[in-house]
Amino acid sequence: MLDYRFPTALQMVLSVAMAEQLGERSTSAILAYGLEANPSFIRKLMVPLTRDGIIVSTLGRNGSIHLGRPPEEITLRDIYLSVIEDKKLWASRPDVPARCVVSANACWYFKSISEEAEQASLAVLARHTVASALDAVKNADSSGWDPLPELIAQYQKTS
């Protein structure tokens, strides 16, 4: 089963950062609409992101979501570790009975290789911040879309 927590959380945080740059309000409803995701999934991802100080949300009629730190201080590694928690990049097979050289050593070998790959992935994510990611997305954009979903216009009319 594919795990969409990290790419969804990354898109959420980038969307919040974009809204802040534009002086617009960000809510879980706006995020769910913009990401075409289930609102309960968005709220579920908000829990670890809030716990780890990546985002801050206020409740109430005028509630909104903001970055918990400057975008230059939030790395993609921070977001990944927040929402993935202790799930490994690759799961190894359970220990199997040693019946040959391969079966006696495959498990520890795979664990060492997957740990090395995970550390390399985390190092790449640590080199990118929310600020640099948002700049890259905006600079590469050729979609012609508005920076934020049209749902924001509805919120602006009711505010």
Side-chain angles (χ1 to χ4, degrees):
M1 181 175 207
L2 294 175
D3 188 339
Y4 292 110
R5 289 177 295 175
F6 175 56
T8 305
L10 175 60
Q11 192 172 349
M12 287 171 59
V13 174
L14 291 176
S15 295
V16 170
M18 175 69 89
E20 285 188 358
Q21 280 186 359
L22 297 172
E24 297 290 347
R25 188 167 158 230
S26 188
T27 67
S28 59
I30 291 169
L31 291 174
Y33 176 81
L35 277 70
E36 209 170 90
N38 187 314
S40 66
F41 183 49
I42 298 301
R43 288 188 297 274
K44 182 184 278 188
L45 288 174
M46 287 177 59
V47 171
L49 293 170
T50 301
R51 175 196 66 215
D52 295 333
I54 294 168
I55 61 168
V56 175
S57 77
T58 56
L59 301 173
R61 185 181 187 315
N62 293 320
S64 60
I65 302 168
H66 300 279
L67 295 180
R69 302 189 299 266
E72 301 81 17
E73 295 178 16
I74 303 170
T75 67
L76 276 53
R77 181 184 190 273
D78 296 334
I79 298 167
Y80 176 83
L81 291 175
S82 180
V83 297
I84 297 299
E85 297 172 333
D86 61 353
K87 183 180 178 193
K88 292 292 186 189
L89 185 62
W90 294 322
S92 62
R93 290 189 65 210
D95 290 324
V96 294
R99 296 197 172 115
C100 66
V101 171
V102 171
S103 61
N105 295 287
C107 188
W108 71 261
Y109 180 74
F110 181 82
K111 284 180 183 178
S112 70
I113 293 298
S114 64
E115 180 63 28
E116 183 180 347
E118 185 150 357
Q119 291 308 313
S121 295
L122 290 174
V124 169
L125 294 175
R127 290 195 303 262
H128 300 273
T129 66
V130 169
S132 68
L134 188 56
D135 285 345
V137 167
K138 289 177 1 184
N139 290 334
D141 179 53
S142 61
S143 69
W145 284 95
D146 286 333
L148 295 170
E150 63 269 12
L151 185 64
I152 289 177
Q154 293 176 341
Y155 279 94
Q156 290 172 335
K157 288 178 188 174
T158 62
S159 297

